[in-house]
Amino acid sequence: MVTAAVAVAAVAALAVVLTRPGGGSSEQAAGEVFLQPAAASGPDPFTESTTARQATVPPQNPASGASTAPATASASGTTATRSVSGSAPGLYGGTRDVASCDVERQIALLDAEPAKKGAFASALGVQPADVPGYLRGLTAVQLRLDTRVTNHGFRDGAPTAYQAVLQTGTAVLVDDRGVPRVRCACGNPLSPPVALQANPKRNGQPWAAYQPSKVVAIAPSETTVDPFVIYDHQDRRWLERGRGAAPKPDKPVPPPPVTSPVPSANPPTGTATSAGPTPPATSSAPPTRKPTGTATQTPPASPSEPPSETATEPYPATPTAPSSAPARTPYAPATPPPPPANPYSY
């Protein structure tokens, strides 16, 4: 039932009338995006911060050798935001056995103010009575990439939706498909981002490492995520974290295998695709050439940051064919049409 409600909320987010924090028309909001540092409460917070102080925030300035796959530019000159699956290993981080958010405190703060609890529930598409159970079903993690979302502040007794970019290190609660649903520094409900006008105005507090081309939008995983594979920057180890607000202790696991981020043949309309951030490497040695048909990747310069997603072309095996086999003309695919406009472009 909760999953169905979340799906309804995601659809409703597309039709919501955007209201600028502090007031303003929907036309203004559609042309603005707010930059929100990890620790800042931002405009119109629902509650005080419920971010756990014990959680270690990952570095905010990526190492020079660490980068993500470049975003594409649309015909209008805007930057297309990459879409990353919520199940991608290493998309999220955290400190071993430390939840990045205090869910029970978040529940208590909302219970103490029924008006806020009702507005919080409406923004997520659930009933007020279901809020405690909904929150306990979410998983506390930290972003490892600057991420665009629809944020919801609380103003005049109702939720106000606006487009925002959350900084790497932001503590969030994610649902069972890996989508951020609550920002813990302010208790605000979150939903997927919606379309922006070309070249939107950027407000808020920019950070040194902010680059529009490296911002991502997190897409729901096709299947339920349990456990989440996260990276502990403090101890430089990989962990499996069970789903929910009270999971079993985090389990150390080997680094996940490197996968090719080659987009699918038919990407969703208007969204640049990616396999997500690949696992941090433990060595700076160059990759070994493999005589297979599998793409390989260049490991990042630092294990603490989202690594490079640039695939390298493998050396294919030399085919052997009978000498009598007739020569075949290589297949030449037709030139694909230009990609459609990206709704996440900005």
Side-chain angles (χ1 to χ4, degrees), residues 176-194:
D176 60 357
R177 299 304 174 100
V179 177
R181 293 301 178 183
V182 179
R183 182 174 183 263
C184 304
C186 53
N188 287 4
L190 303 175
S191 56
V194 298

Side-chain angles (χ1 to χ4, degrees), residues 123-144:
L124 291 172
V126 300
Q127 295 299 315
D130 296 332
V131 167
Y134 177 83
L135 288 173
R136 292 186 179 110
L138 304 179
T139 306
V141 290
Q142 291 172 301
L143 299 176
R144 293 188 68 236

Side-chain angles (χ1 to χ4, degrees), residues 266-272 339-343:
N266 297 300
T269 301
T271 304
N342 192 323

Side-chain angles (χ1 to χ4, degrees), residues 57-153:
V57 178
Q60 302 305 304
N61 296 317
S64 59
S67 62
T68 56
T72 58
S74 67
S76 63
T78 57
T79 301
T81 302
R82 289 185 304 115
S83 177
V84 181
S85 172
S87 63
L91 175 62
Y92 296 113
T95 303
R96 184 177 181 182
D97 297 334
V98 175
S100 58
C101 307
D102 188 337
V103 172
E104 294 303 318
R105 179 163 176 73
Q106 184 71 55
I107 292 172
L109 290 171
L110 290 172
D111 282 344
E113 299 192 59
K116 286 187 176 181
K117 184 177 181 179
F120 183 94
S122 67
L124 291 172
V126 300
Q127 295 299 315
D130 296 332
V131 167
Y134 177 83
L135 288 173
R136 292 186 179 110
L138 304 179
T139 306
V141 290
Q142 291 172 301
L143 299 176
R144 293 188 68 236
L145 294 169
D146 292 347
T147 304
R148 195 155 86 76
V149 297
T150 298
N151 201 339
H152 299 79

Side-chain angles (χ1 to χ4, degrees), residues 213-257:
S213 62
K214 293 185 178 180
V215 174
V216 303
I218 298 176
S221 169
E222 294 183 358
T223 58
T224 298
V225 185
D226 191 15
F228 288 87
V229 179
I230 66 175
Y231 184 72
D232 185 341
H233 167 74
Q234 183 177 20
D235 293 338
R236 297 194 174 189
R237 75 174 79 190
W238 289 91
L239 303 170
E240 282 186 347
R241 174 166 294 182
R243 179 164 53 89
K248 296 178 180 178
D250 293 335
K251 177 184 176 182
V253 293

